[in-house]
Amino acid sequence: MPSQPSADIAIIGLGVMGCNLALNFADHGYNVVAYDAFPQVAEKASQELGERVTVCSSLGLLVAALKKPAQIMMMVKAGQVVDDALASLTPLLSAGDIVIDGGNSFYRDTERRQAEMEARGLAFIGLGVSGGETGARFGPALMGGGAPEALSRVEKAFSAIAAKAKDGTGCYVAHGSGGAGHFVKTVHNGIEYALMQLLAEAYLMLKGPAGLSHQAIADRWRQWNQGPSASYLLEISADIAATIDPDSGNPLVEMIRDVAGHKGTGRWTTEAGLDYGVAVPTIAAAFMARAISGLPRLDLTKQTIESGSTDHALADALELAFPAAMFAAYLQGLELIEVASNENDWDIDLAKVAKGWRSGCIIRSVMLDPIADSVGQGSVLESAYGRDLLQLAEQPLRAVVQQAAASGTPVPAFYSVLGWLDGRRSSCLGANFIQGQRDYFGAHTFERIDRSGHFHFNWQSN
């Protein structure tokens, strides 16, 4: 260890993400030191990182190696582990040092930790990191939140390691104060849930009622990936559909137990929709579908109408409907971010959110450019891009939902998309009838369309 502090940044937590971020920083000329609380993990990481990153044997040596003010990035599991790590780390720090939490932390926990650190003269940044191990190594999408002066100090380093969009724009965005960064990352993951569920439902429809083989599904999806649905998740889904299990000779996906895991961000996004009064039905449906997948399957009689042969019309309808479903998932997330930003005074720029997701992250797609261009020009749903997309998808989406219902294929996310779109463009949702009911039994009053004010009617006198 050098006698004079020479390290630019430290990484705490040397799992796959931590190691790859350390190497990413080193690639861009940063002197990196690292630490892991588990000696066996630290030893393995030291061998993988080689001489490019110095792995320290204690937090004290790690902090001593850093230039001041120190910049320390934690890549540890969200929850109590973050608080435990801070409890060990903060007594070693000096005023002005910055700690960055790069895990999937709940944004309110991030705000609590910021207040606790600020009371000690320290800065704390909540940083959303997306892109998995490959993104961490070669360019993730990064979503920052914290005090403006702290964000400005880390901007150069995070801009250097972040992914770059095709136009050269970096995918590190400082989204605002408080928990803004972690909230944007949470919603990013909620959208990810929705897109993954929509692809899973498309898979069920294509192999079931449409009657396509797994290879034909993969070929279809590679064709889709040349059009408006082009995205990272669609690309990997084609690979998954085409992969054969070497042990059984069957499609590998068919050998995987039909239960989907979840770690919290999909639930947090759904709960945030409830907290802020924003409709995110496709994200909620995706989370609920994962929850249902963990329940026992019931042996109940189900009347279904199965396709007797390959249904190319249904496959074609899915291709046209899918971009509208993706579009709905993105917009539900962006609307939630907008409302939360307004209520928390984060001042998040939705165009920058969409642009920051264009490369490096799991939900990157060609659709994010026109979405970003439409933000700030009125309703994105009513933009020229939105209108064209939805017009093409109108009848195909209805055909997909109808065929799913007829065949007994569970597609809750597609159902939610159609319900959300119909609700957004319907002249009447029946809410007037609900207000009549509320006024009847609870005198909650109602507003009229022909005069201003709030009114109560004695319904039983009529």
Side-chain angles (χ1 to χ4, degrees):
M1 187 69 63
S3 57
Q4 294 296 322
S6 61
D8 302 302
I9 194 164
I11 303 290
I12 295 177
L14 292 174
V16 172
M17 292 292 288
C19 282
N20 282 346
L21 283 168
L23 289 171
N24 193 346
F25 277 115
D27 286 346
H28 290 85
Y30 289 88
N31 187 346
V32 185
V33 290
Y35 169 79
D36 196 284
F38 297 94
Q40 64 274 25
V41 175
E43 176 62 27
K44 180 183 177 183
S46 182
Q47 295 173 5
E48 293 176 356
L49 296 171
E51 298 181 356
R52 302 188 63 198
V53 176
T54 301
V55 178
C56 301
S57 58
S58 70
L59 283 175
L61 290 173
L62 179 97
V63 173
L66 287 163
K67 299 173 185 175
K68 290 293 186 175
Q71 295 184 17
I72 302 171
M73 185 170 181
M74 299 192 304
M75 295 301 299
V76 300
K77 186 178 179 181
Q80 186 60 43
V81 177
V82 177
D83 292 309
D84 293 344
L86 288 173
S88 300
L89 178 64
T90 51
L92 306 174
L93 302 179
S94 305
D97 289 348
I98 300 175
V99 179
I100 304 116
D101 176 11
N104 280 333
S105 289
F106 183 54
Y107 76 105
R108 292 299 188 199
D109 286 341
T110 297
E111 293 177 332
R112 169 179 57 80
R113 291 166 185 145
Q114 287 171 343
E116 293 170 352
M117 295 285 279
E118 287 173 4
R120 294 171 174 258
L122 306 169
F124 188 82
I125 290 172
L127 184 75
V129 180
S130 179
E133 56 184 284
T134 301
R137 180 66 185 86
F138 300 108
L142 301 173
M143 296 149 259
E149 59 272 20
L151 290 171
S152 66
R153 284 167 51 195
V154 301
E155 181 176 1
K156 181 179 179 181
F158 288 126
S159 294
I161 69 163
K164 305 297 183 291
K166 288 184 178 180
D167 63 3
T169 305
C171 291
Y172 164 67
V173 181
H175 287 296
S177 61
H182 272 151
F183 188 83
V184 170
K185 177 54 165 57
T186 294
V187 176
H188 163 287
N189 283 22
I191 296 170
E192 181 182 309
Y193 270 58
L195 298 179
M196 292 172 70
Q197 179 65 28
L198 287 163
L199 280 162
E201 292 175 10
Y203 165 72
L204 291 178
M205 292 294 290
L206 289 169
K207 77 161 187 169
L212 270 62
S213 69
H214 284 74
Q215 185 58 55
I217 293 171
D219 292 342
R220 279 269 181 173
W221 278 349
R222 289 176 179 133
Q223 175 184 319
W224 292 14
N225 211 37
Q226 304 304 310
S229 297
S231 60
Y232 170 73
L233 282 170
L234 182 56
E235 177 185 340
I236 69 168
S237 294
D239 291 342
I240 292 167
T243 299
I244 300 299
D245 175 27
D247 296 326
S248 67
N250 297 320
L252 180 56
V253 68
E254 293 297 316
M255 305 305 295
I256 299 173
R257 185 166 174 253
D258 189 38
V259 177
H262 50 91
K263 294 184 177 180
T265 45
R267 174 172 59 84
W268 291 344
T269 310
T270 302
E271 290 173 343
L274 298 173
D275 290 341
Y276 292 107
V278 178
V280 289
T282 308
I283 294 169
F287 170 70
M288 295 302 178
R290 293 197 191 190
I292 290 172
S293 77
L295 298 176
R297 309 299 161 89
L298 303 178
D299 186 16
L300 300 175
T301 300
K302 182 178 71 170
Q303 297 292 331
T304 62
I305 302 172
E306 301 291 351
S307 174
S309 60
T310 302
D311 187 344
H312 291 290
L314 176 56
D316 292 343
L318 272 163
E319 181 176 1
L320 293 172
F322 195 79
M326 288 180 63
F327 186 59
Y330 283 124
L331 293 197
Q332 289 171 29
L334 289 172
E335 287 179 354
L336 177 56
I337 291 171
E338 181 178 32
V339 172
S341 174
N342 291 338
E343 292 202 16
N344 291 285
D345 295 322
W346 288 333
D347 196 26
I348 294 176
D349 185 328
L350 293 184
K352 289 183 178 180
V353 172
K355 288 181 178 180
W357 290 341
R358 290 180 301 165
S359 184
C361 75
I362 303 301
I363 65 171
R364 60 187 184 266
S365 75
V366 298
M367 190 174 292
L368 287 165
D369 271 311
I371 288 175
D373 292 341
S374 300
V375 170
Q377 300 179 14
S379 169
V380 179
L381 267 176
E382 295 180 308
S383 66
Y385 176 77
R387 285 180 179 275
D388 290 345
L389 198 67
L390 296 179
Q391 184 175 6
L392 284 173
E394 171 81 20
Q395 294 307 316
L397 181 56
R398 296 190 188 283
V400 168
V401 170
Q402 288 169 353
Q403 184 65 277
S407 63
T409 307
V411 292
F414 273 103
Y415 288 149
S416 75
V417 167
L418 185 58
W420 184 76
L421 289 171
D422 282 345
R424 295 298 296 269
R425 56 197 175 186
S426 176
S427 61
C428 184
L429 299 176
N432 54 347
F433 200 85
I434 291 172
Q435 282 303 108
Q437 293 172 319
R438 296 181 73 237
D439 189 57
Y440 190 112
F441 65 69
H444 292 293
T445 75
F446 54 86
E447 296 177 85
R448 295 180 62 97
I449 62 174
D450 56 351
R451 65 185 83 118
S452 61
H454 290 79
F455 301 87
H456 168 61
F457 185 76
N458 184 4
W459 298 88
Q460 297 183 60
S461 69
N462 196 22

